[in-house]
Amino acid sequence: MVLALTVCGIVVALVVLGLFVFGLRRRLIQRSGGTFDCSLRWDIPEKPDASGKGWSYGVARYNGDRVEWFRVFSYAPRPRRVLERSSIEVAGRRLPEGEEELALLSDAVILACLHRGVRLELAMSEDALTGFLAWLEAAPPGQRVNVA
């Protein structure tokens, strides 16, 4: 009985510690400011399906001329993807269709992009999209930025 209670106590402590580390990591990512909730679908086919597959929920952070994208459900301290402003080409925007509506946040708008030859989609709120497009267009003089 004592052994079972000890094991249960250890399991509960590990779960609480894991949740605490998730929260601490998110807090550290957001500490420098310029973050927004952003789902990402990487290396998609030319005609994406609306099944909702391939989307990963994350947090994006502006860092100079880059956007760093972190997975929410990860302990990694480094970003999973880094997008350079000069390499991003916006191909268009759309609203979620079909099962995508279930896979994404309720107010999401999907932005189709090309980054160094890789097709990707970013899903974010309308406010975050406005800020993202403004950030793209605010590139220093001489940098080529393609916004559709």
Side-chain angles (χ1 to χ4, degrees):
M1 181 70 172
V2 173
L3 180 62
L5 288 174
T6 303
V7 170
C8 287
I10 291 172
V11 168
V12 168
L14 288 175
V15 168
V16 169
L17 179 65
L19 292 174
F20 175 76
V21 171
F22 268 133
L24 178 64
R25 178 180 169 268
R26 175 133 181 173
R27 189 79 176 135
L28 290 174
I29 290 169
Q30 292 178 328
R31 180 176 58 178
S32 64
T35 62
F36 57 97
D37 291 331
C38 178
S39 295
L40 173 92
R41 186 155 65 167
W42 188 261
D43 200 13
I44 59 171
E46 224 172 291
K47 178 73 172 132
D49 61 353
S51 68
K53 293 180 182 175
W55 286 105
S56 296
Y57 183 62
V59 175
R61 175 176 68 188
Y62 297 109
N63 187 1
D65 284 337
R66 305 180 318 170
V67 168
E68 299 171 334
W69 184 82
F70 299 83
R71 291 181 72 120
V72 167
F73 301 109
S74 171
Y75 291 112
R78 295 179 187 237
R80 176 86 167 145
R81 302 279 182 207
V82 177
L83 307 173
E84 292 87 14
R85 178 174 16 207
S86 61
S87 301
I88 299 172
E89 295 180 39
V90 176
R93 75 169 83 173
R94 64 183 179 84
L95 295 174
E97 301 170 353
E99 293 181 28
E100 281 182 326
E101 294 178 16
L102 302 173
L104 301 173
L105 296 173
S106 62
D107 62 343
V109 177
I110 298 172
L111 191 67
C113 299
L114 192 66
H115 182 262
R116 296 186 177 187
V118 177
R119 299 175 74 72
L120 63 109
E121 290 182 326
L122 300 168
M124 61 191 87
S125 71
E126 189 71 45
D127 291 340
L129 177 64
T130 301
F132 183 78
L133 293 176
W135 174 79
L136 277 177
E137 292 174 358
Q143 282 190 355
R144 182 191 63 130
V145 176
N146 295 320
V147 178

